[in-house]
Amino acid sequence: MNAFVSGVVALGFSAHGAQAETLRLLTWGGYAPDSVIELFEEKYPDIDVEVTFSNNEEMVAKLRATGGSGYDLAQPSVSRIKAAQAEYGIYKPMDLSQVDTSVFQPNMMEAMEKYAEIDGEIYSIPHVWGTQGLVVDISKAPEVEGWTDLCDPQYKGRVSMRLKRALLLGFAFDTGKDPFAAYDDFEAYEAMIDEIGETLIDCKDNVKTYWTGGDDLSALLLSGEIVVSDAWDSTAFKLYKENPDIRFIPTRTGALAWIDTFTLPKRGEADDAAYKWINFVNQPEIVTMISESSGAVSAVKGGVELMPEGAREAVAAAFDEEALDNLKFMPSVPPGLEDLEGRVLDRVKAATSE
């Protein structure tokens, strides 16, 4: 064997002499920090973790394009399981015997049974949960309570928005509609979303910029360029530690609640490694590390208590019992609705460039 071939062969083996396995993880930013990956690879030296950061729409698109191959573990929200599986067949059932499900809050597993069960099999395991509502500098915008306040003329030029479906849903609820109740009536849903789109176009002068990432939004709020935006609660919780006047507002109609999951792509090749990762990140000390990185609350029992101290304070400042009881958990999205929403949001985006 020549030196070149010897070198190539060596690359495929771990320090223990066994061929290394790669766990290809398709996940959100903050859910797989380098510090956690290092600890995992120390415990499992025969597994290398390869991370691709993404979001709900991109995850489904990537797996759809490959027929469920290219990744071994994905983390879509539970609302993206049933419809995506029905349309594209990109996932495979979980083997619950490989996961210690006793660590999860009961309502989190109940949500999996409700939103991720297909033909009697569970397709997802909960990882973290959180909400979407508003982030507000209460020292500069103390009156903000709901989504439509983003269009209040007194905040002209000091507002940001993210052009994603949560914005449409939030405005719908705040204008007295129930978008989830309309999911099964495509024409009614289309009329409602078209109306919301026109509202967003009409208040475009209020918007300084449309944010795309949490870091962008954080910079805008900390600099004082904007005073209110729609946001993930995790972004607001991080900002609270730097400026306690920046708060998450669950809104008068209730925050939109989501659960991000662990889901196996249909043609993943490292199921054993995937289950090892799932169980590893549910350990208390790892839960705290991921909460620190992501700002999200773990689905394990006592997830709030396992958050870093500053984040726990931010959660307490944002949510009382009434706000928690008023959460609007996002159900599975029926086929076709996201395409409709995308077209409406494209119209809003095009209008902003005039």
Side-chain angles (χ1 to χ4, degrees), residues 79-92:
S79 59
R80 298 312 206 286
I81 303 303
K82 284 189 176 180
Q85 181 64 10
E87 285 191 275
Y88 314 125
I90 54 178
Y91 306 130
K92 58 186 170 185

Side-chain angles (χ1 to χ4, degrees), residues 103-177:
V103 304
F104 297 117
Q105 298 180 62
N107 65 332
M108 293 292 153
M109 283 306 298
E110 289 169 6
M112 299 301 105
E113 293 169 1
K114 184 175 182 180
Y115 298 127
E117 182 176 306
I118 303 170
D119 296 331
E121 296 189 281
I122 300 293
Y123 277 71
S124 297
I125 290 294
H127 179 217
V128 296
W129 69 274
T131 64
Q132 291 174 267
L134 303 177
V135 59
V136 182
D137 185 332
I138 62 170
S139 68
K140 299 171 182 174
E143 302 90 355
V144 171
E145 296 182 348
W147 294 83
T148 54
D149 292 338
L150 294 170
C151 295
D152 190 322
Q154 68 176 307
Y155 304 123
K156 182 178 180 180
R158 297 189 294 164
V159 170
S160 188
M161 299 178 185
R162 181 174 181 253
L163 289 176
K164 294 293 183 180
R165 68 187 311 263
L167 189 66
L168 300 173
L169 298 173
F171 265 74
F173 276 115
D174 207 30
T175 53
K177 303 173 179 64

Side-chain angles (χ1 to χ4, degrees), residues 74-75 84 101 192 205 254 259 339:
Q75 297 210 246
T101 59
M192 177 182 63
D205 287 343
I259 303 172
D339 290 338

Side-chain angles (χ1 to χ4, degrees), residues 6 10 23 46 104 125 139 141 146 184-185 306 322 341 350-351:
S6 298
L23 172 63
D46 58 336
F104 297 117
I125 290 294
S139 68
D184 294 328
D185 187 336
L306 289 170
E322 182 180 355
E341 293 162 349

Side-chain angles (χ1 to χ4, degrees), residues 312-334:
R312 292 199 305 272
E313 293 174 0
V315 173
F319 290 100
D320 57 18
E321 286 300 319
E322 182 180 355
L324 289 173
D325 289 341
N326 198 29
L327 293 179
K328 299 291 190 292
F329 276 96
M330 292 189 279
S332 301
V333 185

